[in-house]
Amino acid sequence: MNLIPAEWAAVLYLVAAVCFILALRGLSSPKGARRGNLTGAAGALIAVVTVFLSAKLDNLPWIIGVLIVGSLIAAPVARRVKMTQMPQLVALFNGVGGGAAAIVSLLELSRVHSPYTALAVAFTLLVGGTSFSGSAITFLKLQELMPTRPLTFPGQRFLMSLVVLASIAAGTYVTIERLFVAALVLLALGLVVGVLLVLPVGGADVPIVISLLNAFTGLAVAASGLVLGNTLLLVAGTLVGASGTILTRAMATAMGRSVSGIIFGAFRKGGSTAGSTAISDRPVKSGTAEDVAILLNYAQKVIIVPGYGLAVAQAQHTLAELAETLEARGIEVLFAIHPVAGRMPGHMNVLLAEANVPYEKLKEMDEVNPEFKSADVALVVGANDVVNPAAKTSPGSPIYGMPILAVEDARQVVFLKRSMRPGFAGIENELLYEPQTTLLFGDAKDSLSKVLAAVKGM
Amino acid sequence: MMDPITLLTLFVLAVFVGFEVVSKVSSTLHTPLMSGANAIHGIILVGAIIVAGEAHTPLILAAGLFAVLLATVNLVGGFVVTDRMLEMFGGRRAPAAKKPENEE
């Protein structure tokens, strides 16, 4: 429809772009986050309405039908997804966005008349394809449909170099000759790059890779904006590409990793980087819920370290009740939140907020680490990698260099664990075998309920 | 179609805005911010609609509509899941503000 002139459409696109900038700024502060997100959604709505009103479009019934179907699929899934599965859902949404950008550019190739637009097509195909397949692999890893440890095979580096060279060749063909077949080949190569890029990334680093692929998709969208001559796509995609890059670096810094180390680490070492995933048969000290209750009841200061296991068991309410019960007896209780505890930054804050744990009780890593020395008990609930001293002591370990919570400084350490299975990064935790450590096996919710009952009975 | 220099200018300026706007984000908000940015690039939907609207053969129309589907999932799902994450954060803001419980 041509209901509004092109100038108006340009102004409305500008309004949408401003909405996106405000959205990103809002999302960077706790106060404005939710409003920021709604501002972004409003911008998107304005943009979509504008394209319907301003562009000359055929096949309208089809487009609107698919739009409705897509919304009806996505909204309920996003509404109902479990907390623990949010990161993989974000990965999935990111991947389909990259795929959409690649298809848009592929279909526009026949209308392209200048070499620089053709270059933008080539860029979108390669990067969009990479983002699509890379996100698919991160989804499979987070959903544990494939092994979460770094996967490497002999010749991986060689194959990657080969694919990159082939991509340059195909990209040149797309740019100069505008060959449709070369474009398809380039898209296929992009898909291969995504798989090769993410396979060697270890489980704990996956959230950072999602953020990186998110920035990739942003750049692919920006490039398709160049292809279509659409300034909104250019600006919005570039915003996401730039802010995504900053965010990726911030996330990597929070874990003490470098982005290039994560992407190329496994390539450089060229072999299996993960420690043994076999379960060791060394003796450990396992206790009963009553033993743990006694330790807690006679402590003066308890620091609770929540992890992914807490989220899986949905035990946050029981944990909050245990903390309240202990506090009612004059015991100081703190929660130590590692930046990447769980499967995404902020995971534990969300979970504990849901159980109404006061915000002041949640201490970030730098703030809480000196406190462990004066703590009688560190209660580790379903966390593993974030308290693994291997990050400090064994340079060969994949998590070496990641800042960890100093639970080993506490007088007693209690682990609530499902089994002796190593954590997400696939590395054994030496702390489990230390004399001051007590293990209580079982589902976090069951264990916490039993401990809570025992504490109340004292 | 705009000239390449104008587009390049837009690109460079947008890069700096993107850098600046998220430069001071606390680690707690990393995930919602990533998710929100993820939703924003779902705006490729506009491109997908244009391409599907230009399609004149069934094959191209099918591919265009597929792009519309993928982009819609990215855009709608992205904003909804971000809102859901932030809704969970919402619970903790009341106690953090230390307001007396004068409203139910």
Side-chain angles (χ1 to χ4, degrees):
Chain A
M1 283 179 280
N2 282 317
L3 290 180
I4 56 175
E7 291 79 17
W8 287 29
V11 171
L12 288 171
Y13 281 149
L14 177 63
V15 172
V18 171
C19 284
F20 291 155
I21 294 172
L22 293 176
L24 287 173
R25 197 180 68 180
L27 282 164
S28 321
S29 79
K31 269 188 191 160
R34 201 155 178 206
R35 201 177 51 218
N37 185 52
L38 292 177
T39 311
L45 186 67
I46 292 172
V48 172
V49 171
T50 305
V51 71
F52 277 117
L53 293 182
S54 64
K56 193 183 153 297
L57 298 173
D58 297 329
N59 317 311
L60 263 182
W62 280 103
I63 296 174
I64 293 173
V66 171
L67 207 63
I68 293 170
V69 170
S71 309
L72 288 180
I73 297 171
V77 171
R79 217 47 263 161
R80 288 194 206 128
V81 64
K82 277 191 266 163
M83 181 73 218
T84 48
Q85 289 173 335
M86 278 185 185
Q88 47 265 56
L89 194 67
V90 173
L92 203 66
F93 289 158
N94 178 51
V96 296
I103 297 172
V104 166
S105 283
L106 186 66
L107 297 182
E108 277 298 295
L109 184 63
S110 60
R111 295 169 194 271
V112 162
H113 298 296
S114 76
Y116 92 93
T117 340
L119 180 64
V121 170
F123 180 86
T124 315
L125 289 170
L126 185 63
V127 177
T130 301
S131 183
F132 181 79
S133 62
S135 301
I137 301 287
T138 57
F139 176 81
L140 294 176
K141 285 198 177 204
L142 286 167
Q143 197 73 21
E144 297 188 16
L145 293 172
M146 61 181 284
T148 55
R149 67 196 155 77
L151 291 178
T152 50
F153 53 86
Q156 201 160 4
R157 274 173 75 174
F158 178 69
L159 184 61
M160 189 63 156
S161 320
L162 216 61
V163 172
V164 169
L165 285 177
S167 305
I168 294 171
T172 312
Y173 264 98
V174 173
T175 309
I176 297 169
E177 307 285 337
R178 283 163 231 160
L179 276 180
F180 189 74
V181 182
L184 282 179
V185 170
L186 189 58
L187 179 58
L189 288 169
L191 295 174
V192 177
V193 171
V195 173
L196 290 178
L197 202 64
V198 180
L199 274 185
V201 174
D205 293 331
V206 167
I208 298 176
V209 172
I210 298 178
S211 177
L212 184 70
L213 292 172
N214 188 34
F216 277 17
T217 307
L219 292 177
V221 170
S224 46
L226 287 179
V227 176
L228 290 165
N230 184 304
T231 50
L232 176 65
L233 293 190
L234 173 64
V235 171
T238 308
L239 280 174
V240 175
S243 60
T245 307
I246 295 285
L247 182 60
T248 307
R249 273 183 46 199
M251 286 170 85
T253 313
M255 293 178 72
R257 314 296 307 259
S258 76
V259 177
S260 66
I262 291 163
I263 301 296
F264 302 110
F267 277 117
R268 266 190 220 124
K269 285 169 205 148
S272 63
T273 49
S276 149
T277 48
I279 296 167
S280 155
D281 52 4
R282 281 188 290 163
V284 292
K285 186 168 82 185
S286 80
T288 63
E290 285 73 24
D291 298 335
V292 176
I294 290 169
L295 281 177
L296 293 173
N297 203 30
Y298 294 103
Q300 277 169 2
K301 182 170 175 181
V302 174
I303 300 182
I304 298 174
V305 181
Y308 185 63
L310 181 76
V312 173
Q314 287 292 305
Q316 63 273 28
H317 294 283
T318 321
L319 183 63
E321 199 185 339
L322 178 64
E324 275 172 33
T325 311
L326 293 174
E327 284 190 316
R329 301 189 178 177
I331 301 163
E332 188 187 355
V333 182
L334 294 176
F335 289 83
I337 311 292
H338 190 276
V340 292
R343 293 285 157 87
M344 55 189 194
H347 201 162
M348 292 301 124
N349 302 64
V350 172
L351 208 63
L352 293 170
E354 196 194 319
N356 289 320
V357 174
Y359 184 50
E360 304 84 52
K361 299 243 163 256
L362 310 184
K363 302 288 179 195
E364 291 197 11
M365 183 169 58
D366 297 336
E367 200 184 343
V368 80
N369 265 346
E371 303 264 352
F372 279 105
K373 283 195 186 66
S374 58
D376 300 293
V377 180
L379 178 63
V380 182
V381 186
N384 194 359
D385 296 331
V386 297
V387 296
N388 192 340
K392 284 183 196 162
T393 54
S394 67
S397 160
I399 60 167
Y400 183 70
M402 177 171 95
I404 58 161
L405 291 165
V407 288
E408 73 272 17
D409 291 344
R411 235 154 274 143
Q412 297 280 338
V413 182
V414 177
F415 273 90
L416 304 189
K417 277 179 76 65
R418 268 180 300 179
S419 65
M420 285 300 285
R421 214 169 66 94
F424 197 46
I427 320 139
E428 235 190 319
N429 192 339
E430 286 299 320
L431 194 56
L432 299 177
Y433 306 101
E434 293 295 321
Q436 83 263 33
T437 303
T438 307
L439 279 92
L440 177 55
F441 289 112
D443 171 79
K445 196 169 184 175
D446 283 351
S447 300
L448 283 170
S449 307
K450 284 182 200 154
V451 172
L452 179 62
V455 168
K456 280 185 170 166
M458 278 176 193
Chain B
M1 182 72 113
M2 271 192 232
D3 70 297
I5 297 302
T6 314
L7 292 171
L8 183 68
T9 311
L10 271 177
F11 172 75
V12 172
L13 292 179
V15 166
F16 278 92
V17 173
F19 281 165
E20 280 306 310
V21 91
V22 299
S23 58
K24 278 170 280 184
V25 56
S26 84
S27 65
T28 317
L29 282 169
H30 281 170
T31 305
L33 179 61
M34 173 170 85
S35 182
N38 173 47
I40 288 174
H41 65 53
I43 199 62
I44 184 64
L45 177 59
V46 167
I49 290 172
I50 292 174
V51 169
E54 287 170 343
H56 293 299
T57 70
L59 192 65
I60 292 184
L61 177 61
L65 290 176
F66 186 54
V68 172
L69 182 71
L70 295 183
T72 311
V73 168
N74 183 185
L75 189 76
V76 176
F79 282 116
V80 173
V81 81
T82 310
D83 189 60
R84 177 113 188 274
M85 276 179 203
L86 294 167
E87 186 181 275
M88 296 183 190
F89 275 71
R92 73 145 207 239
R93 240 175 283 140
K98 282 179 186 157
K99 270 185 192 162
E101 288 178 42
N102 53 8
E103 50 189 1
E104 283 300 310

